[in-house]
């Protein structure tokens, strides 16, 4: 009843106020200078002045308004120097709307202007779209396994635990964008627009119910077998909604829009409509033309699919229209790994055992996967090379190689990484999380991935702390690594200690709390002094992965100004 009464009061003002049902608030009439205009709701509210209890005691003609208990005159509210019309009204009225403050309701409390002796707000300004929930929030209701579609889960006593879900960055990055100091609630001042799609989550829930499904004119159940098509169409539907309902896409033809694609083969099958946007992925594949390397038929983006909205077929609108990655406008970023994953690292105060493992890799070798797609056969070829020649290497080269699955490489994964000098970074069905595994443990990454950029490789010099070996030179990989002088290896390890922070996501208070907890545990258990190489980067978000993304966006913006 209170809402109805307030709505009635809003409507019978002279002139009538504008009721915004989304927030349950009355704003100045649209014909006044600071009235609520008929445009996008959130953007319009930021420019309008709420009336709350601001009701004039008389009409324009001077007649007493019997329901008003206020003492404001008509001119105080609606006159040329009044609340709804003047930049500096002669009488400042109440600003009670949550999120707004100041004498004229013009200060956004989450982004209050700095005092005279403080620096200005930092660019870039990023506006986060509030998309219809079917593109993100509704996806979570189809999530049965709590370890899917999120970066952290709630446990007993309302505690939060980060998990090692492969596509954790999808929700983690969304959360960072919502809480960063670079976020703006005013789209008119935005340098970039973030499109919060849960695309990888769709891959994990599609086919488990009738929804979610994209496009929505086909049945959902049983469509898992071609999920990359639906992921691509989901992005296309989001583009259609944005470009149809909001005015900002056309401002720069979408080049200032940010899309995140965390799934295995990144933006290889992104719809052509968004190709000129900022695409952030884990997969920096550069060759063109290209085809899917996934061993999962459901993720094979090279298969054709027809739809009435795609007269030339799906492939012509996606993978046949562009490469997987364009370093001039796109960015490759690290996978999110919770601090607990690298708790043994010397960078978190863990002990440094002798690095007695010369070359290390543990993971799926793909021996039972059909064809030669998975890992581009690099894992399978190395298996043949190492286990046919391993005895010779052990006898003649005196090297300790640990390569294979859990049977061939038993033990704690973090401890094995900490004991290793060189760690292989091999592609799987797409991107590899071994960049993050090796860099977080001080192990020199040995990258075997032709024509593919690693995280931030277009921005930082990998040659200082990593080694690249061509896929056709696997037979000489051990000799190549043995030829590196000890002093050169020591220099690379020192450089890695100054670069590893780029591969961690610490711009989140709960992550930092987790890091501090791990470091305190290592300090107690191992009597660590927390002064070793690289430790200075652990308890800070400075120059971490998210900061690096922001730095890249800023320099991209700076080049345009």
């Amino acid at each position: 009843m209170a809402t109805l009464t307030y709505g009635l009061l809003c409507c019978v003002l002279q002139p009538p106020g504008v009721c915004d049902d989304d927030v349950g608030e009355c704003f100045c009439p649209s014909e006044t200078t600071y009235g609520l205009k008929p445009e996008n709701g959130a953007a319009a509210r930021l420019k309008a002045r709420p009336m709350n209890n601001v009701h004039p005691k008389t009409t324009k003609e001077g007649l007493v308004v019997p329901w008003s208990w206020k003492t404001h005159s008509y001119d105080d509210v609606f006159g040329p120097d009044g609340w709804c019309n003047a930049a500096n009204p002669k009488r400042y009225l109440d600003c009670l709307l949550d999120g707004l403050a100041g004498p004229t309701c013009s200060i956004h409390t989450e982004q209050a202007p700095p005092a005279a002796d403080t620096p200005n707000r930092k660019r870039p300004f990023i506006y986060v779209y509030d998309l219809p929930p079917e593109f993100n929030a509704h996806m979570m209701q189809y999530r049965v396994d709590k370890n899917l579609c999120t970066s952290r889960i709630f446990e007993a006593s309302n505690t939060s635990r980060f998990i090692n879900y492969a596509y954790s960055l999808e929700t983690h990055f969304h959360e960072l964008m919502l809480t960063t100091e670079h976020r703006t609630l005013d789209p008119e001042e935005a340098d970039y627009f973030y499109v919060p799609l849960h695309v990888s989550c769709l891959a994990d829930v599609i086919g488990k119910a009738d929804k979610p499904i994209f496009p929505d004119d086909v049945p959902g159940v049983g469509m898992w077998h071609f999920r990359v098509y639906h992921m691509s169409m989901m992005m296309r539907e989001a583009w259609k909604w944005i470009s149809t309902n909001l005015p900002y896409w056309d401002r720069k033809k979408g080049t200032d829009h940010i899309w995140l694609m965390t799934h295995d083969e990144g933006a290889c099958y992104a719809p052509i409509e968004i190709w000129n946007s900022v695409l952030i992925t884990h997969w920096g594949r550069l060759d063109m033309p290209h085809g899917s390397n996934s061993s999962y038929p459901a993720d094979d983006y090279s298969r054709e699919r027809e739809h009435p909205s795609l007269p030339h077929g799906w492939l012509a609108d996606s993978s046949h229209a562009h490469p997987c990655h364009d370093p001039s406008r796109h960015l490759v970023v690290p996978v999110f790994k919770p601090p607990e994953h690298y708790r043994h690292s010397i960078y978190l105060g863990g002990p440094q055992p002798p690095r007695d493992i010369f070359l290390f890799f543990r993971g799926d070798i793909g021996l039972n996967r059909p064809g030669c797609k998975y890992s581009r056969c690099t894992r399978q070829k190395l298996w043949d090379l190492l286990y046919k020649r391993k005895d010779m290497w052990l006898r003649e080269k005196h090297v300790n190689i640990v390569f294979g699955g859990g049977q061939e490489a038993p033990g704690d994964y973090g401890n094995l990484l900490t004991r290793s000098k060189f760690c292989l970074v091999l592609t799987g069905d797409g991107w590899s999380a071994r960049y993050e595994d090796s860099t977080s443990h001080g192990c020199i990454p040995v990258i075997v991935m032709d024509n593919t950029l690693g995280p931030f490789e277009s921005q930082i010099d990998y040659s200082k702390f990593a080694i690249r070996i061509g896929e056709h030179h696997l037979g000489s990989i051990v000799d190549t690594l043995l030829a590196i002088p000890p002093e050169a290896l020591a220099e690379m390890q020192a450089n890695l200690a100054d670069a590893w922070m780029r591969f961690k996501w610490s711009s989140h208070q709960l992550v930092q709390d987790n890091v501090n907890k791990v470091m305190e545990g290592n300090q107690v258990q191992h009597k660590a002094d927390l002064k070793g190489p690289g430790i200075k980067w652990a308890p800070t978000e400075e120059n971490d992965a998210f900061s690096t993304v922001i730095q890249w966006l800023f320099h991209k913006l700076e080049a345009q100004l």
Side-chain angles (χ1 to χ4, degrees), residues 129-149:
Y129 278 131
D130 187 11
L131 295 179
E134 59 263 29
F135 291 113
N136 41 56
H138 279 184
M139 209 80 64
M140 302 298 281
Q141 72 184 11
Y142 299 100
R143 164 178 160 260
V144 177
D145 186 337
K146 68 180 180 181
N147 294 301
L148 298 179
C149 295

Side-chain angles (χ1 to χ4, degrees), residues 238-289:
W239 164 78
K240 286 167 60 177
W241 187 89
I242 291 169
S243 59
T244 301
N245 292 281
L246 302 174
Y248 307 110
W249 179 268
D250 290 335
R251 188 176 74 168
K252 293 186 178 180
K253 303 302 180 184
T255 59
D256 53 358
H257 281 56
I258 301 170
W259 308 70
L260 180 69
M261 296 185 72
T262 62
H263 210 255
D264 298 356
E265 297 189 273
C268 292
Y269 48 86
I272 188 61
E273 290 85 357
I274 71 168
W275 182 250
N276 289 330
S277 296
V278 177
L279 302 184
I280 298 179
T281 75
H282 299 315
W283 187 229
R285 184 176 174 182
L286 299 172
D287 55 323
M288 182 70 188

